[in-house]
Amino acid sequence: MKKLIYLDNAATSLHRPETVEQAVVQAMRTLGNSGRGGSETALNASRTIYGTREKIANLFHYPHPEQVAFTKNSTEALNLAIQGLFSPGDHVITTMLEHNSVLRPLYCLQNEGLELTVVPCDGKGSPDYDAMEQAIRVNTRGIVCTHASNLTGNLVDIQTVGAIAKRHNLLFILDVSQSAGVFPVNMEEYQIDVVCFTGHKSLMGPQGTGGLCVKKGVNIRPLFAGGSGIRTFEREHPGDMPVRLEAGTINAHGLAGLHAGLEYIEQVGLDFIRQKEQTLAWTFYEGVTKIPGIKVYGDFTTYERAPIVALNFEEYDSASFSDELMTEYNIVTRAGGHCAPLMHEYMKTVEQGAVRFSFSVFNTVEEVQTALDAIAEITET
């Protein structure tokens, strides 16, 4: 059996620091239920959770860790933000780059009377920022967009989007699923009101962790109510952050692992991680574009992009291509639609899909070369 080469990091991290696994095991053995009693086990859970809030707040350069609320993933965080901030009659702007975790909650609200504008792409697959500003109406309430396309790796200019939002007094909700832990995100500098993140990708935490960091003064209507560990005899769920958005028991075991992943990022440094991953992605891109019949999607005129390369070979079905890489070469990729339907419409790949290669700091140049050799063999047959 050939060595497994995992190039599906945009879906989830597989290779993580050993400290993440160790932290989860230790937490399962020692942590009680945060906010449910004064035992040392319960207090240890509270300390772990709060320590993780601090690290997330630091990551996004926001000095208020109590404004970090935890969820299962970025999809839940985006649903909380979108459904908790917008109402029928509001107008919201988004882009063609979005994942279904943004699009579907907006479509649900659109069915109830929300007005929605989807900003088109320019010729390179990035948002048309002039069109974004021109789309603003008197009832425009906010802009929701991704930081990096999970399909093409194109980065959105969040500084420009934040400036547009500030000029027009709009809410700016940012999905950092593909960028947190790789690219710097500064909430205050970029005028971001809500950052929605997941823990299981480049933050290197376990699946089932994620959340949102909410700027003070931005009041999200909770989607859930229930146990909070405090104010038991009140009929309404507590309104203070972060418990406002955290009904029920928090995943302290998973957050202990996320804490360890964030510690690793702090120790190694965002710059090192980004440079390593971009080097791998660009090495792959430069090699694969030399193979006849390969078409690569996305904007490669700029070096600054997420470590993702999506491609197709002639008319070969993307799922068949990905399956052949797995069964014959033990190389893991992702094929199909990637939950990004509007980008596939833009790329004219709705039927074929695309094969996505996404890189981690734990990948190697040797693995990249093995993948290139495999692609060359497949395309020659």
Side-chain angles (χ1 to χ4, degrees), residues 75-333:
T75 298
E76 185 178 317
L78 285 159
N79 271 267
L80 277 167
I82 291 168
Q83 298 188 51
L85 287 172
F86 304 130
S87 302
D90 289 340
H91 174 239
V92 175
I93 298 170
T94 192
T95 79
M96 292 188 75
L97 283 70
E98 305 311 313
H99 189 278
N100 274 332
S101 55
V102 169
L103 295 175
R104 285 177 172 168
L106 288 171
Y107 292 155
C108 286
L109 288 177
Q110 191 178 27
N111 291 336
E112 299 172 4
L114 181 85
E115 298 175 21
L116 180 63
T117 295
V118 178
V119 174
C121 289
D122 62 17
K124 298 176 181 177
S126 294
D128 184 330
Y129 302 106
D130 290 336
M132 179 179 288
E133 190 151 22
Q134 291 166 9
I136 295 170
R137 309 171 187 172
V138 293
N139 62 331
T140 304
R141 172 81 168 138
I143 301 171
V144 187
C145 73
T146 188
H147 190 188
S149 168
N150 74 309
L151 178 55
T152 67
N154 285 10
L155 287 180
V156 173
D157 184 350
I158 57 174
Q159 189 167 9
T160 293
V161 177
I164 292 171
K166 183 180 181 182
R167 272 198 300 275
H168 298 276
N169 196 29
L170 305 178
L171 292 168
F172 179 18
I173 300 172
L174 183 67
D175 173 9
V176 297
S177 299
Q178 297 296 337
S179 61
V182 181
F183 293 90
V185 176
N186 190 313
M187 287 184 66
E188 295 190 307
E189 181 179 347
Y190 299 142
Q191 313 297 325
I192 306 166
D193 293 289
V194 184
V195 171
C196 298
F197 64 92
T198 195
H200 69 97
K201 299 181 191 284
S202 293
L203 296 184
M204 304 183 199
Q207 295 178 8
T209 60
L212 58 174
C213 189
V214 184
K215 186 174 287 186
K216 278 181 172 290
V218 177
N219 295 314
I220 298 174
R221 296 186 301 272
L223 287 182
F224 310 107
S228 60
I230 60 172
R231 302 177 193 169
T232 295
F233 297 99
E234 294 182 6
R235 291 171 62 91
E236 295 183 354
H237 195 77
D240 299 331
M241 285 288 288
V243 70
R244 176 185 181 89
L245 302 178
E246 293 180 340
T249 296
I250 302 297
N251 179 12
H253 301 152
L255 293 177
L258 179 57
H259 188 278
L262 292 163
E263 276 190 335
Y264 173 85
I265 293 168
E266 289 175 350
Q267 292 165 3
V268 173
L270 277 184
D271 289 344
F272 174 84
I273 291 170
R274 182 173 63 258
Q275 290 165 10
K276 170 80 179 290
E277 294 183 359
Q278 287 181 323
T279 297
L280 293 171
W282 276 98
T283 300
F284 179 80
Y285 168 79
E286 290 165 358
V288 82
T289 51
K290 295 175 183 175
I291 298 174
I294 291 291
K295 180 176 183 179
V296 175
Y297 304 95
D299 181 10
F300 286 85
T301 64
T302 174
Y303 189 82
E304 288 303 312
R305 47 178 292 106
I308 292 170
V309 181
L311 57 82
N312 277 314
F313 172 62
E314 296 179 347
E315 303 304 316
Y316 193 20
D317 178 68
S318 65
S320 299
F321 196 157
S322 183
D323 286 347
E324 191 167 350
L325 285 167
M326 182 67 244
T327 57
E328 299 298 323
Y329 302 93
N330 211 20
I331 298 172
V332 179
T333 61

Side-chain angles (χ1 to χ4, degrees), residues 31-50 53 226-232 237-238 242-243 246-252 255:
L31 298 189
N33 199 330
S34 174
R36 278 70 171 176
S39 68
E40 194 63 20
T41 55
L43 292 174
N44 282 339
S46 296
R47 294 181 187 115
T48 297
I49 292 168
Y50 187 77
R53 294 193 209 279
S228 60
I230 60 172
R231 302 177 193 169
T232 295
H237 195 77
V243 70
E246 293 180 340
T249 296
I250 302 297
N251 179 12
L255 293 177

